[in-house]
Amino acid sequence: MEIMLLSFEQYDEIIRKLDILLTDKNNMTNSGQLLTGTKVCEMLDISPRTLQNYRDRGMISFSQVGRKIYYTTEEVEIFIEKHKIGRIG
């Protein structure tokens, strides 16, 4: 195992960049651009397993970063429009 020493300035720079990344991610999620699976399940009133089934069948687009899966509001809206059943009468 290799040990690396950082100066306080280097450490502070790394922490600053991580804070920027986390802020950007939170802003995207909070502004409605990115949605978590939990939020999509709530919106569509479906279970997580059903959402996974939709992903597996290519019915809904998603992005995966590590183990986290994200959906855009636009893709959820497209999914809803594709599966909308027209009104009768």
Side-chain angles (χ1 to χ4, degrees):
M1 177 165 70
E2 196 173 322
I3 297 175
M4 180 186 286
L5 296 176
L6 298 174
S7 68
F8 284 113
E9 292 81 17
Q10 291 170 320
Y11 177 78
D12 286 342
E13 181 67 13
I14 291 170
I15 296 301
R16 187 185 66 76
K17 288 181 180 182
L18 285 173
D19 284 340
I20 291 169
L21 287 172
L22 287 173
T23 300
D24 288 348
K25 178 204 167 269
N26 289 336
N27 287 341
M28 288 178 68
T29 303
N30 293 337
S31 69
Q33 293 176 355
L34 288 179
L35 302 170
T36 62
T38 302
K39 184 67 177 170
V40 174
C41 286
E42 289 172 10
M43 290 172 64
L44 300 177
D45 194 24
I46 59 175
S47 70
R49 180 64 183 106
T50 299
L51 184 58
Q52 180 182 344
N53 187 21
Y54 291 168
R55 286 193 314 267
D56 293 345
R57 294 172 49 198
M59 295 172 63
I60 190 165
S61 298
F62 64 95
S63 297
Q64 185 169 358
V65 180
R67 295 181 60 183
K68 293 292 279 182
I69 296 176
Y70 298 99
Y71 307 83
T72 63
T73 54
E74 294 81 12
E75 289 300 330
V76 174
E77 290 168 2
I78 289 169
F79 175 83
I80 291 170
E81 282 300 313
K82 281 183 182 177
H83 297 88
K84 186 184 282 188
I85 298 173
R87 287 184 145 187
I88 299 176

